[in-house]
Amino acid sequence: MELFRSHVLICAGTGCTSSGSAQLYDRFEELLAQNNLEKEVKLVKTGCFGLCEAGPIVIVYPEGAFYSRITKADVDTIVSEHLVKGRVVAKLLHKDSIEETGNIRALDDIQFYKKQKRIALRNCGVINPENIDEYIAFDGYKALCKVLTEMSREEVIDQIKKSGLRGRGGGGFSTGMKWQFTYNTPNEKKYVACNADEGDPGAFMDRSVLEGDPHTIIEAMAIAGYAVGADQGYIYVRAEYPIAVKRLEIAIEQAREYGLLGEGIFGTDFKFDLDIRLGAGAFVCGEETALIASIEGERGEPRPRPPFPAVKGLFGKPTLLNNVETYANVCQIILNGADWFADMGTEKSKGTKVFALGGKINNTGLVEVPMGTSLKEIIYDIGGGCPNGKKFKAVQTGGPSGGCLPDELIDTPVDYDNLIAAGSMMGSGGMIVMDEDNCMVDIARFFLDFTVDESCGKCTPCRVGTRRMLEILDRITEGKGKDGDIERLESLAYNIKNTALCGLGQTAPNPVISTLKYFRHEYEAHIYDQTCPAGVCTNLLQYSIIPEKCKGCTLCTRVCPVGAISGNLKEPHVIDKSKCIKCGACIEKCKFGAIIKK
């Protein structure tokens, strides 16, 4: 066994890779060779650490030095100072990772991580996802060995049911019951499938698990295959996730080489294998029946249920389908017991939930918290609140199918039932934060525009109804709203919700319904007052110059592309509203805050 005095962990998830972490790794490798440190310092490419805002991230152990926003030049400093001379480079440490005394905080003591509980993300940022030995060193494949050698199929399903694990893909259906239904359906051939078609704007939970810990999905799917009586599995992942796909391919080949996929796993008569199917980016393929059609090579369109996939799924055979995060909890439930998992969370929502925290938030990233953690704790204690001292206005949970919850609901516990009661939903785990500068009518229009574009067009309520809603929202944000538009939006929304074929159509109106519920005054201002309270909708804006603040510097006149601003040097200027195209160039250049929009 190789022993190293230092381990350098470098984030190789998509976020940090896009910021140049691969070049950092190459530079570390080069400098370690130059300093003859290859046998003393171990370089490890890991998955996402979670705190994406601080990337690229490098952590050096055993000191636990959390270096953030590292450049190639910084690598030279870390090697020469930390790895050669043993001196932590304080100026490169993340601002919250060092105490006033100068001591380095443990990762769990950093504000971003304090209230988190990492189960699905337990190995992300810890191990090299392309090395099966590292996964095995962290109890990898121990759960599969346990179920194959010590547990009956019924006992495995019973553990999943008792744990209270609910589907993390959005619906929140009991995972154990879904396994039970598939097990109960008699058939010589059954399948297990994984939904990794993560399509919500701003969501990257499943991608990060696949990139940082692919073996946990392989192991969990093998356990599921044993439990329900399936010998073949499919992972349906979008082709836009090249790093995740590559690491899955590597992990599957490694598992086959180690005899953990294929025939006679752990010396038993159980056989199970996995294949990957790539999706072309259709949002509707996140719906289980559309996903199944796509795997079969058909157009990704949903079909009526029943029959459910547990009865008639892939190739007409019983199929168990769960999403990535759901599977990511399975091995830990088997190893630690159903009661351990059920002790976390709330009465009806057990365990933890992973969220992709984005939008107007200081600590953009991936978080995993116990169910029941409040929105306030996630947004302020973990997320660090809104940047630039802006006031928090709303949070969108559940992606384009979710709802926008206002500031007055900031104390809402995050679980399946409380979010639905508030007018939103858990969804797969997207969480987009908005501040005072966001227009809620425009936000609703943005999400509806996404669902209109992604509708498969199979059913009339979704294909036509959402487009009619979008047309109304377009008119309102363009300053052409009229009396009765709000009522027409509500009527269309509930008709679509009650008649659309699949979950995409049924939940598509949610952003409109929730913003009408909590921000109706903004719709009314757009329609009746011809103003956008947040100053976002261009056609409703009026630019003007405050004479008392204008110094007559002429900067604004020089940047105005249409010559709408006039005035003499050192005298207050004026804007000709008939010429103004509301581009905002003048506001950006004004050094005295003399130009306002309203």
Side-chain angles (χ1 to χ4, degrees), residues 91-107:
K91 67 178 182 180
L92 299 180
L93 292 173
H94 183 263
K95 60 183 182 296
D96 193 40
S97 69
I98 187 166
E99 299 174 349
E100 292 181 4
T101 59
N103 293 328
I104 295 174
R105 286 194 175 101
L107 203 63

Side-chain angles (χ1 to χ4, degrees), residues 285-506:
C285 286
E287 195 277 337
E288 59 182 8
T289 60
L291 182 151
I292 286 170
S294 185
I295 292 178
E296 293 173 341
E298 303 294 330
R299 177 171 175 167
E301 289 183 334
R303 60 166 171 77
R305 298 173 300 173
F308 290 92
V311 175
K312 186 180 180 181
L314 266 171
F315 311 110
K317 305 298 182 181
T319 302
L320 174 67
L321 179 61
N322 291 122
N323 88 318
V324 171
E325 188 185 341
T326 309
Y327 283 124
N329 286 285
V330 168
C331 297
Q332 291 299 292
I333 291 172
I334 296 299
L335 291 178
N336 297 301
D339 292 340
W340 165 82
F341 189 83
D343 282 343
M344 292 178 280
T346 62
E347 182 181 355
K348 295 182 180 179
S349 299
K350 304 297 186 182
T352 61
K353 181 71 188 80
V354 181
F355 292 98
L357 190 59
K360 304 288 188 66
I361 194 79
N362 279 307
N363 296 332
T364 303
L366 205 63
V367 305
E368 183 173 4
V369 294
M371 292 281 196
T373 303
S374 70
L375 286 170
K376 185 175 184 179
E377 290 175 286
I378 296 173
I379 293 167
Y380 285 100
D381 296 345
I382 297 173
C386 299
N388 305 316
K390 293 287 186 178
K391 182 181 178 184
F392 166 76
K393 184 174 187 177
V395 59
Q396 169 90 357
T397 69
S401 300
C404 298
L405 303 181
D407 180 48
E408 54 263 34
L409 295 180
I410 192 73
D411 292 316
T412 300
V414 175
D415 60 26
Y416 291 99
D417 301 317
N418 277 301
L419 287 180
I420 290 173
S424 188
M425 61 187 291
M426 183 78 73
S428 58
M431 189 174 285
I432 308 297
V433 177
M434 288 156 271
D435 68 13
E436 59 192 270
D437 292 335
N438 285 108
C439 168
M440 302 314 294
V441 184
D442 184 61
I443 289 292
R445 187 203 59 77
F446 168 80
F447 282 113
L448 199 65
D449 181 62
F450 175 84
T451 51
V452 165
D453 190 54
E454 292 292 344
S455 172
C456 74
K458 185 172 184 177
C459 75
T460 303
C462 182
R463 182 183 71 250
V464 179
T466 55
R467 187 165 293 279
R468 295 293 85 83
M469 289 182 70
L470 180 60
E471 288 169 357
I472 295 172
L473 288 170
D474 281 339
R475 282 198 289 102
I476 292 174
T477 55
E478 290 169 3
K480 300 174 184 176
K482 54 190 178 183
D483 192 29
D485 276 349
I486 291 176
E487 290 72 23
R488 277 185 282 273
L489 278 173
E490 288 179 319
S491 176
L492 280 166
Y494 286 107
N495 276 321
I496 295 166
K497 197 173 183 66
N498 294 328
T499 58
L501 174 61
C502 78
L504 186 151
Q506 292 161 9

